[in-house]
Each structure stands twice: as C-alpha cells, then as structure tokens.
Amino acid sequence: MGILTFSLNVTLDGCVDHQEGIADGETHAFFTRLMDENGVMLWGRTSYEMMEGYWPAVARGDVTALPAVREWAAKLEIKPKYVVSSTRMDFPWTNSHHIGGDLRLGVQKLKDATPAGVLLGSGKLATELDRLDLIDEYLFLIHPRIAGHGPTLYQSGLSSTRRLALLSAKPLNNGAVAMHYRRERG
C-alpha cells in the first residue's frame, strides 16, 4: 500500500493562495522531484480546474516558461491525475481519472493500488481526507512571506490536533524551507 502525502505551498502566516508563493525555477524543480517520487497526483475539482486551464499550454510550449517550469508541466502532462468531485464527471486532461462516491473508499483504493504513493495537492480536499484519517505525511514548502489574507491551511478546522514527527527540513536558496513530517498515530 502506498502512502498519501499532502504537499502544498504555504506562507508563514498559513496562506495557501497559489499566487503568494515564490514561483521560480528552484521551486518548480523541487515539486518536479516530489512528483517523480510519487505514483499519482490527487486533487479536488477546484484545484484540477485551475491546473487544467494553464499547465497543458505550458507543456505544449504555448506559454513562455523557465526550463524548470516547462519540465514540471511536461511531467505533469503524463502523470496519472485523480480528481475527487461530486459535481463533475468528465476530466479530459491527459491521464486524468475521476474519484466519485464514497470518499474514504475511493481514496483508500487509490492508496492501496499505488505503492509509489499518492501526492495530494488540494487544501480543501486535504481537510476532508485528514478528517477521514487518510493522510500519512505532510510536505509543506514554507515561503518567506506573510500574505495577511487567506485562504489558509485547514481554514475550516479539524476535530483534534495532529501530532507530527519531523522527517526532514531542507532550505532552498530562494528562502523557502521544505518541511517533511509523518503523522504520529496512536
């Protein structure tokens, strides 16, 4: 069985607005390596729709981009992408698949079928999966910024505190720090 890792860009004050992070070559290279280390991507519908509207054009070369950004886009294009949605069933982006119905069952099946691991990149979906006790690890890229606005990580709350064990902390040259934690259980 593979593990489910929740990974996201977040500012020091917890903002997860994708426009607030440092979007340079180093950041994209970091997430490309992370994507390479996992078997599939998992998103909620909103995150998927934001991604599908931009990244395929970058992968095709229709958008000017740094080499590391283009590499991320090209690898994302072929990566298996799973989308949780109760309102949309059709996901035409290359190698995209729908997860509907019972959330716990659908995501657990995906974890069981993916020994290389599942990489989750949606904040709202992460809250729901955390409530269902399905997240095994957290890898946040903490950006040296204070946004002063939301949305924020786990904005709608959890029923209890999650205890985490630090696996690694790696500073990037741009000032961001990759913080990798495993969920402590029991």
Side-chain angles (χ1 to χ4, degrees):
M1 173 175 82
I3 62 169
L4 192 151
T5 302
F6 174 35
S7 184
L8 209 60
N9 290 297
V10 61
T11 64
L12 289 170
D13 58 344
C15 179
V16 294
D17 181 334
H18 73 279
Q19 297 176 45
E20 291 298 341
I22 300 167
D24 63 4
E26 184 180 26
T27 299
H28 279 88
F30 169 82
F31 280 109
T32 300
R33 284 189 304 276
L34 183 59
M35 183 172 49
D36 286 346
E37 293 168 0
N38 285 271
V40 302
M41 303 295 293
L42 176 63
W43 295 316
R45 180 192 51 80
T46 302
S47 295
Y48 174 87
E49 288 175 349
M50 180 180 64
M51 304 289 273
E52 80 171 331
Y54 180 71
W55 291 110
V58 176
R60 287 190 307 269
D62 297 345
V63 175
T64 303
L66 296 169
V69 174
R70 188 164 319 288
E71 180 184 7
W72 153 262
K75 288 186 174 189
L76 183 59
E77 186 69 20
I78 60 174
K79 192 74 168 180
K81 296 168 278 293
Y82 287 81
V83 187
V84 172
S85 179
S86 61
T87 59
R88 182 176 169 185
M89 308 303 165
D90 181 43
F91 299 93
W93 187 7
T94 306
N95 221 357
S96 295
H97 312 278
H98 178 242
I99 295 178
D102 183 273
L103 181 60
R104 179 189 304 273
L105 182 61
V107 173
Q108 187 61 58
K109 279 184 175 180
L110 181 61
K111 286 175 66 173
D112 292 345
T114 313
V118 177
L119 185 60
L120 168 64
S122 293
K124 288 180 183 177
L125 180 57
T127 302
E128 294 307 312
L129 295 179
D130 221 329
R131 289 177 181 156
L132 295 172
D133 200 29
L134 290 170
I135 298 179
D136 303 296
E137 294 185 0
Y138 304 79
L139 204 162
F140 298 125
L141 191 57
I142 312 296
H143 293 261
R145 297 191 172 167
I146 295 175
H149 65 84
T152 59
L153 194 60
Y154 291 102
Q155 188 165 320
S156 62
L158 294 173
S159 61
S160 62
T161 300
R162 303 299 187 250
R163 295 189 49 79
L164 308 176
L166 179 65
L167 298 177
S168 67
K170 181 183 185 235
L172 278 63
N173 292 328
N174 63 18
V177 179
M179 303 294 294
H180 190 182
Y181 295 93
R182 178 171 294 129
R183 172 102 183 257
E184 290 183 349
R185 303 205 188 264

